[in-house]
Amino acid sequence: MDTMTRAMPAFLPDGSVQVPAFTLPVSGLVSEEAAALQRLRAAMPVFDASGQEDDIAVRRAQINAYMAPQIERLRATFPVIVTRGEIGGVEVLDVTPVEGGHDPQRVLINLHGGAFCVGWDGVALVEAIPIAALGRIRVVSVNYRMAPEHRHPAGVEDVAAVYRALLADYAPGRIGIYGGSAGGALTAQAAAWLASHDLPQAGAIGVFGAGAVPFGTGESAYVTGYIDASFPRPPADGSAPVDITRGYFAGCDLRDPSAWPGWHPEILAAFPPALIVTGTRAMDLSPAIFTHSQLLKASIRSSLIVAEGMGHCYHYQVALPEGRDAIEAILRFFREALA
């Protein structure tokens, strides 16, 4: 009885909960491939998404080097043509399938992850290659401006410039926008930006590994800080968290509708259909759930996928059945929404 008492959580008067130390087992609901990957983590160094390298050029090179083996595998599995160019005055990667052509009437804009400061073009290719090849669709990945050189709304301005230029060749209802992590948050910002800047709304958006409210809001970032360690935990005392964006939102109000439209029902009411993807071990779980619920309250068609035992942006891992399932769901969503 005494052991059971000590193992129970303690509920404090301010609503906080003191959780006793525990061991979290691998879920019995994940694939054997995902379970094997979890077991491998015992021998792998922890990936630190916050990054301790002061020189942003070095950090960007580190991320690209980290992604390089995965990109090599993806290009071997999913043959694509990658063309570097400009659209609307913004650098892009134009990614199309090698064989059989692609849908001439539809296009997807990809906004890469990387905490608003890294990810071009390593993360961009990881996000674009499987979608272009499996979806038989053109994917335009945007090199939007990032920190520390730039501040919000630089990134969403670049997305709008590319979108505006693509309107010369595509109907707005046939243009989809998607992204993971920072790119997922930027996707939500883009939907808000288009509606408030006299541009026709896109046909659909995909917000993956993110939400329309800041990372770190809600419970999931705190819990994930104990079970994953890739991202720093928000301080329990409410003090300022580690800024992994390197100042991208410096001077921006946390309720700014152009940055975080999830707080503003009147802005969400102008959103197109949305697909939101997260996982039970993802630091973005709370923002994703909140954004989904707010979109439903605003009478917007929203679908939410929460994958059991999966972490941040698990859809990058197409070798896992869960990752492949997510890609198939993403493609199915855009096929239907951009019809």
Side-chain angles (χ1 to χ4, degrees), residues 72-143:
E72 184 177 354
R73 291 192 296 270
L74 288 174
R75 298 202 71 163
T77 305
F78 306 108
V80 293
I81 299 169
V82 179
T83 304
R84 197 176 298 269
E86 282 191 4
I87 296 178
V90 180
E91 184 183 17
V92 301
L93 293 178
D94 214 323
V95 186
T96 53
V98 167
E99 299 175 355
H102 59 276
D103 188 334
Q105 296 184 324
R106 296 168 180 82
V107 65
L108 294 177
I109 298 173
N110 165 244
L111 310 178
H112 67 84
F116 291 97
C117 59
V118 299
W120 183 262
D121 54 9
V123 180
L125 287 169
V126 168
E127 295 192 18
I129 289 172
I131 295 292
L134 292 172
R136 317 302 304 171
I137 193 168
R138 178 189 183 191
V139 176
V140 175
S141 191
V142 180
N143 185 12

Side-chain angles (χ1 to χ4, degrees), residues 288-307:
I289 291 172
F290 180 80
T291 300
H292 172 65
S293 66
Q294 295 304 107
L295 285 168
L296 293 179
K297 287 172 65 175
S299 299
I300 299 301
R301 174 187 158 198
S302 179
S303 301
L304 173 66
I305 296 174
V306 181

Side-chain angles (χ1 to χ4, degrees), residues 10 12 75 79 108 130 154 161 191 274 284 328:
L12 307 183
R75 298 202 71 163
L108 294 177
D284 48 87
E328 292 297 337

Side-chain angles (χ1 to χ4, degrees), residues 216-230:
T217 52
E219 297 180 345
S220 60
Y222 195 81
V223 173
T224 303
Y226 281 100
I227 63 174
D228 183 272
S230 295

